[in-house]
């Protein structure tokens, strides 16, 4: 399960998700207010709401102990889901992109990030 940060969307994880999909079932989602999700001004998009919704989404999808890799704000959302809403990730990581604000990561920057995180991701995915 990959969680994007702000002001990103699930598109951030696409190259990595495609690379991992041959070995794993990969889940991406756009938190409310980001990407292809609703941007209705009446929908709450604060950290508390995002954590609650993420925990509910894991339950809805039947993901009992998913591996979670999160970026930026997504790390706080995953942590909040775990501590306050009972989500039980098997393994979690928070990552940071090395890019300027407003830059979209390219496939090459995503690949280099995957490469530099490869040891952690390998250990994370080997957890029983």
């Amino acid at each position: 399960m990959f969680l994007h940060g702000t002001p990103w969307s699930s598109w951030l994880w696409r190259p990595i998700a495609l690379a991992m999909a041959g070995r794993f079932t990969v889940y991406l989602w756009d938190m409310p207010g980001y990407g292809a999700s609703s941007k209705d001004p009446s929908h709450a998009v604060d950290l508390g709401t995002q954590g609650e919704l993420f925990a509910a989404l894991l339950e809805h999808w039947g993901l009992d102990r998913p591996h979670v890799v999160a970026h930026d704000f997504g790390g706080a959302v995953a942590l909040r889901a775990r501590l306050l809403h009972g989500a039980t990730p098997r393994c979690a990581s928070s990552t940071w992109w090395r890019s300027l604000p407003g830059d979209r990561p390219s496939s090459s920057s995503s690949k280099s990030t995957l490469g530099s995180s490869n040891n952690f991701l390998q250990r994370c995915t080997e957890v029983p």
Side-chain angles (χ1 to χ4, degrees), residues 1-107:
M1 182 79 193
F2 290 96
L3 277 74
H4 63 81
T6 185
W8 304 95
S9 71
S10 63
W11 186 256
L12 170 82
W13 293 113
R14 184 173 164 74
I16 297 171
L18 290 171
M20 296 188 77
R23 289 187 51 212
F24 302 96
T25 301
V26 178
Y27 294 87
L28 300 171
W29 74 302
D30 285 327
M31 288 186 253
Y34 300 89
S37 72
S38 171
K39 304 209 186 27
D40 184 316
S42 69
H43 293 167
V45 295
D46 60 279
L47 177 60
T49 300
Q50 302 288 16
E52 186 176 350
L53 291 173
F54 178 57
L57 182 65
L58 293 177
E59 184 176 336
H60 175 76
W61 281 347
L63 302 177
D64 183 31
R65 292 188 59 223
H67 301 283
V68 175
V69 179
H71 166 245
D72 185 58
F73 183 74
V77 169
L79 182 61
R80 190 171 182 94
R82 167 71 178 104
L83 296 176
L84 300 177
H85 303 293
T88 55
R90 181 177 310 185
C91 182
S93 168
S94 185
T95 63
W96 299 90
W97 294 105
R98 294 184 186 120
S99 62
L100 298 174
D103 284 351
R104 281 190 75 120
S106 66
S107 293

Side-chain angles (χ1 to χ4, degrees), residues 84-127:
L84 300 177
H85 303 293
T88 55
R90 181 177 310 185
C91 182
S93 168
S94 185
T95 63
W96 299 90
W97 294 105
R98 294 184 186 120
S99 62
L100 298 174
D103 284 351
R104 281 190 75 120
S106 66
S107 293
S108 60
S109 68
S110 298
K111 287 177 186 171
S112 69
T113 301
L114 177 60
S116 65
S117 303
N118 191 40
N119 289 339
F120 172 79
L121 288 174
Q122 184 170 353
R123 286 193 316 270
C124 182
T125 56
E126 290 174 352
V127 174

